[in-house]
Amino acid sequence: MKLNSLIHEVFKKSVDKELSVFFKNNPQNASWYLISDYCIGNRVKQNDSITFSLLLNHDTSANIKDFIKTNIPRDLKKTREANRSIISYLNLPIIFHFSLVISTKQKLLSKALNLSVLTSYFKDLKSIVDRSSKLNNFEYFTDVSNRIQLVLKELTKKGCNLKLIRNITIVSAFAGAIIDSMQRNGSPSHVVWVPDRDPILDKFETVVFDLINLCYKIYFSKANILKNDPQLIYSEPDKIGVNFYDELVRLPDYITGTLATFNFEGESDLKLKHQQVLHDSIIASKNHLVMQLEYLEEEDTLRSRRIILN
């Protein structure tokens, strides 16, 4: 699908050099957290935004959580000001942030990712999985095929949830590109996806996990590089009560919330905390990608680009 190739193109042209330097300055064959947060569907905001924060597993999970809790005690909504400890942590050399923004006017690329496009995309993915199942005879591929079939079945319904399926499609394509770029430019041994609670995890038997793996495999297979795959681990957040990884999710939360409020087309009336994160972290950071996707209706085409803020 064009969405996937456009995301992949931005990574190869604009991010690989920075990510290569980032990995050279960090331990090799290390384990990493890939922590995600989303602000999608809030029409009061300027943008739908998605952020994945790549964090080195530099200590025990308990110590990392305590360290974040000390420096970032609350999420962005409950914070009036992003103090120096928050900014300093977001800018640590063991963290790389990847952000994707889509103007809310685009309605999550509804014209580009329409019913026909999504149906064709998931049919193609199912065909790939079914071929793998015949070649390898692994039960896993049959299970993945069945989960993709759940999405295809939803797409045939009169009132199908296209918005959710677009969300799943965009998140998995972006995450797959991140893992592909990690593998091409570094040597991660383990990658643990830590998502916040979100409807994309609750539908279609959590097929989004499978789609991230598929997107990564498809991207990386084209690179023709002989490397061992990192072990991909998916952590499902607790459905009730306090999320075990709540502290970790605060990292992308600050970035996502700020980019959701920023007007890329004109003046932005930002609160102090958003100004601080924007100027002192997103703009000042050496380790941050901000990518924008948009559908150009006059040209009937989808466009991706990296945005350099200053």
Side-chain angles (χ1 to χ4, degrees):
M1 185 166 63
K2 189 171 183 179
L3 169 74
N4 301 55
S5 59
L6 286 172
I7 291 174
H8 194 223
E9 183 180 331
V10 171
F11 272 85
K12 291 194 73 174
K13 288 184 177 180
S14 185
V15 186
D16 278 6
K17 288 184 181 179
E18 293 168 38
L19 204 55
S20 178
V21 172
F22 173 77
F23 278 117
K24 285 177 183 177
N25 292 331
N26 279 291
Q28 301 300 301
N29 300 308
S31 298
W32 297 84
Y33 292 104
L34 189 59
I35 313 155
S36 61
D37 187 57
Y38 331 102
C39 180
I40 293 176
N42 187 338
R43 295 302 159 206
V44 176
K45 302 292 186 181
Q46 294 286 339
N47 306 292
D48 290 317
S49 60
I50 300 166
T51 296
F52 285 84
S53 295
L54 182 64
L55 170 67
L56 177 68
N57 183 30
H58 58 90
D59 206 330
T60 65
S61 59
N63 286 345
I64 292 173
K65 287 168 58 180
D66 285 344
F67 191 49
I68 294 174
K69 187 184 293 185
T70 299
N71 290 277
I72 311 178
R74 291 173 294 277
D75 62 22
L76 185 64
K77 289 180 182 178
K78 300 174 183 176
T79 304
R80 290 186 177 181
E81 184 176 349
N83 58 39
R84 290 310 309 171
S85 64
I86 293 173
I87 299 300
S88 296
Y89 197 96
L90 291 174
N91 290 351
L92 283 175
I94 57 172
I95 302 176
F96 201 109
H97 304 283
F98 305 86
S99 297
L100 178 65
V101 294
I102 304 168
S103 170
T104 51
K105 297 175 184 177
Q106 298 264 323
K107 297 181 179 178
L108 211 61
L109 304 176
S110 59
K111 292 185 178 180
L113 302 182
N114 55 42
L115 178 62
S116 175
V117 169
L118 290 172
T119 300
S120 177
Y121 175 61
F122 281 96
K123 281 182 176 179
D124 288 345
L125 288 179
K126 189 175 185 302
S127 295
I128 293 171
V129 173
D130 289 343
R131 287 198 299 271
S132 298
S133 180
K134 290 178 181 178
L135 291 171
N136 297 283
N137 197 29
F138 290 153
E139 187 177 341
Y140 166 74
F141 291 110
T142 302
D143 293 340
V144 173
S145 179
N146 290 338
R147 288 191 281 270
I148 293 175
Q149 183 59 41
L150 293 176
V151 181
L152 287 168
K153 183 179 179 180
E154 175 70 17
L155 287 167
T156 64
K157 295 179 181 177
K158 187 176 181 179
C160 71
N161 194 340
L162 276 175
K163 179 181 172 183
L164 177 63
I165 296 174
R166 286 189 199 102
N167 193 349
I168 291 172
T169 301
I170 293 168
V171 167
S172 58
F174 193 48
I178 293 169
I179 297 170
D180 164 64
S181 190
M182 290 175 64
Q183 180 67 341
R184 282 187 289 105
N185 295 289
S187 54
S189 62
H190 297 74
V191 181
V192 183
W193 180 31
V194 181
D196 198 5
R197 293 185 183 120
D198 192 88
I200 67 171
L201 303 173
D202 301 328
K203 296 291 288 185
F204 315 119
E205 298 181 6
T206 324
V207 72
V208 66
F209 294 152
D210 305 310
L211 297 178
I212 290 173
N213 191 35
L214 275 172
C215 288
Y216 154 64
K217 294 286 189 182
I218 293 168
Y219 289 136
F220 193 68
S221 66
K222 296 178 180 178
N224 198 26
I225 300 172
L226 295 177
K227 278 188 177 183
N228 292 326
D229 284 332
Q231 184 174 347
L232 304 183
I233 302 168
Y234 302 116
S235 169
E236 285 195 67
D238 302 304
K239 295 188 182 300
I240 58 173
V242 178
N243 184 5
F244 178 77
Y245 285 115
D246 181 61
E247 291 84 2
L248 271 66
V249 175
R250 290 175 198 164
L251 300 179
D253 168 73
Y254 272 72
I255 306 295
T256 300
T258 297
L259 290 174
T261 64
F262 185 73
N263 183 2
F264 289 91
E265 300 174 0
E267 293 294 323
S268 293
D269 184 18
L270 298 178
K271 295 180 180 178
L272 174 61
K273 59 185 177 182
H274 295 137
Q275 293 178 31
Q276 291 168 325
V277 174
L278 177 69
H279 293 287
D280 298 335
S281 181
I282 297 174
I283 293 176
S285 174
K286 296 179 180 179
N287 301 329
H288 202 136
L289 161 72
V290 179
M291 182 191 302
Q292 184 184 52
L293 285 171
E294 61 180 335
Y295 174 69
L296 305 176
E297 189 167 3
E298 291 182 0
E299 302 173 25
D300 188 26
T301 188
L302 194 61
R303 182 177 73 172
S304 65
R305 59 176 177 165
R306 182 175 187 177
I307 295 179
I308 305 297
L309 299 167
N310 51 44

